[in-house]
Amino acid sequence: MAMPVLISAETVEKLLQYGELVPRLEVALGKFSSGKGEIVQPVRSVLAIEKYNGYLGVMPAYSAHDDVLATKIVAFYQRDQPSSIPAHQASVLLFDPEHGTLKAVMDGTVITEKRTAAVSAIATKFLKPVQADVLCILGSGVQAVSHYEIFTEMFSFKEVRVWGRTKENVDRFAQTVRGPVRVCSSVKEAVLGADVIVTVTMATEPVLFAEWVKPGAHINAVGACRPDWRELDDTLMKSAVLYVDTREGAMKESGDVILSGAEIFAELGEVVNGDKPALHEKTTVFKSLGMGIQDAVAAKLVFDSWNAQQ
Ligand SMILES: NC(=O)C1=CN([C@@H]2O[C@H](COP(=O)(O)OP(=O)(O)OC[C@H]3O[C@@H](n4cnc5c(N)ncnc54)[C@H](O)[C@@H]3O)[C@@H](O)[C@H]2O)C=CC1
Ligand SMILES: O=C(O)C1=NCCCC1
């Protein structure tokens, strides 16, 4: 039996292009929410590594439409001190769906960076106000960078603002991104008047409060992926129209959804399918937790491009 190929982070970075990834993810989100069982994806199984303040998540998914079977394994850690090791590290195992043969083991860290930002961009395309001039990013780590990249590529914001907890992180962010950014010294300063807000922090308590949010703004809430972690306050969660990637995941994993008691209006895939409206004139929250099918679709794109180059 042939050995699986190993695909490095550098290769994934080169091969995974937003232009191809975004439309594939949009189709996958629609198929997931079609109610026809076209995508098989259990809620992520997560174990706590208490001694080190970490978690290990296993995310299998199968799509007959894409003919893809994969599992991502992702480790993530909460840290008080800065570290050169990324807070999230992942690998994706890609199988031949017909026989279950392992075809590839590839870096999943870059896949996680890019597919998460791409899904936020899809949500934003549907849910942002018609006039969206100001983008605000709360958090200045890895996801902040990938969100900056795709949001400035897909949309025409007049101003991009960033807030981060530490000066060191924000300075690194400002040096990494290729384009202008206004560094804000408080969350309030960053948020006031913003049309689109992205929360990509490791916060466990709310950092974004309803009183600062412009009516009609769209928020992509990407952090706080544990049932007792928060990024958004109760008032914001309850007053905004709430979209999620998966209802099942949000009810099991999202502290912002579970603890606020906010009602879920729709899955993003239902909006893609036209089964639920995109209420872009209202204040909207897209609660993202991440889906195995997003990783599987991205991994197939990488593998197919890699194969084409051999
Ligand atoms: N929804 C999804 O599909 C995914 C969500 N995530 C989540 O996105 C968030 C960002 O991830 P990365 O950028 O990879 O992490 P990172 O570690 O690179 O960046 C995290 C940022 O949050 C800041 N931060 C840490 N504690 C904070 C606090 N208490 N209050 C405010 N800011 C704080 C850090 O200074 C840093 O700027 C995390 O919560 C992560 O779990 C990550 C991957 C996928
Ligand atoms: O979808 C993912 O991948 C992750 N989501 C929440 C945090 C860990 C990684």
Side-chain angles (χ1 to χ4, degrees):
M1 197 164 28
M3 289 293 284
V5 298
L6 285 178
I7 305 182
S8 68
E10 290 70 26
T11 306
V12 174
E13 180 74 57
K14 253 184 262 155
L15 298 180
L16 193 58
Q17 299 298 322
Y18 283 126
E20 287 180 311
L21 179 61
V22 169
R24 304 277 176 112
L25 287 174
E26 196 169 316
V27 171
L29 290 165
K31 297 242 169 257
F32 177 82
S33 300
S34 69
K36 296 183 193 149
E38 293 170 285
I39 286 176
V40 184
Q41 180 201 277
V43 178
R44 168 170 52 215
S45 155
V46 182
L47 72 79
I49 314 157
E50 266 179 40
K51 181 175 171 189
Y52 297 106
N53 242 345
Y55 299 87
L56 186 77
V58 183
M59 305 174 66
Y62 168 64
S63 161
H65 172 264
D66 290 290
D67 202 33
V68 64
L69 175 68
T71 299
K72 183 168 82 175
I73 303 176
V74 57
F76 56 104
Y77 290 77
Q78 279 193 301
R79 299 209 183 91
D80 293 330
Q81 298 304 320
S83 166
S84 58
I85 302 169
H88 298 71
Q89 295 186 79
S91 305
V92 178
L93 310 185
L94 185 70
F95 301 90
D96 155 19
E98 193 178 354
H99 304 288
T101 311
L102 182 60
K103 292 196 296 188
V105 178
M106 68 181 77
D107 169 81
T109 307
V110 173
I111 287 180
T112 304
E113 284 166 36
K114 292 200 176 189
R115 64 68 152 150
T116 307
V119 170
S120 296
I122 294 168
T124 302
K125 183 181 79 171
F126 285 102
L127 299 172
K128 74 175 175 55
V130 175
Q131 184 72 28
D133 294 334
V134 179
L135 170 66
C136 158
I137 301 177
L138 301 179
S140 54
V142 167
Q143 286 292 337
V145 172
S146 56
H147 278 74
Y148 180 98
E149 278 168 359
I150 190 166
F151 276 61
T152 51
E153 191 178 310
M154 270 182 63
F155 309 106
S156 307
F157 292 105
K158 293 188 179 140
E159 185 184 352
V160 184
R161 303 174 187 166
V162 69
W163 169 85
R165 205 175 44 150
T166 63
K167 186 177 174 329
E168 193 187 342
N169 277 357
V170 180
D171 288 347
R172 193 175 334 112
F173 172 91
Q175 281 157 18
T176 308
V177 297
R178 288 182 295 263
V181 61
R182 176 178 141 196
V183 174
C184 297
S185 52
S186 70
V187 176
K188 185 176 173 185
E189 181 195 338
V191 168
L192 285 183
D195 303 292
V196 174
I197 301 167
V198 176
T199 60
V200 276
T201 74
M202 278 290 239
T204 55
E205 302 292 333
V207 289
L208 180 60
F209 292 85
E211 65 199 85
W212 302 330
V213 175
K214 180 175 172 179
H218 170 63
I219 298 138
N220 298 290
V222 177
C225 59
R226 299 291 301 153
D228 55 348
W229 291 4
R230 303 294 302 265
E231 271 190 323
L232 278 47
D233 80 334
D234 281 354
T235 312
L236 181 54
M237 286 303 296
K238 284 175 130 164
S239 57
V241 183
L242 176 60
Y243 297 81
V244 295
D245 47 12
T246 81
R247 280 197 174 77
E248 228 187 335
M251 293 311 297
K252 187 176 168 207
E253 291 194 321
S254 169
D256 282 333
V257 175
I258 299 164
L259 301 175
S260 68
E263 199 182 311
I264 296 170
F265 178 71
E267 287 183 346
L268 180 55
E270 295 176 298
V271 176
V272 170
N273 293 336
D275 293 335
K276 286 282 174 77
L279 299 174
H280 51 77
E281 68 288 357
K282 300 257 172 71
T283 304
T284 50
V285 169
F286 169 58
K287 178 59 224 162
S288 162
L289 288 153
M291 298 163 66
I293 195 61
Q294 299 164 358
D295 302 304
V297 164
K300 183 169 163 47
L301 265 179
V302 171
F303 186 71
D304 290 348
S305 312
W306 181 87
N307 247 344
Q309 291 186 354
Q310 298 313 299

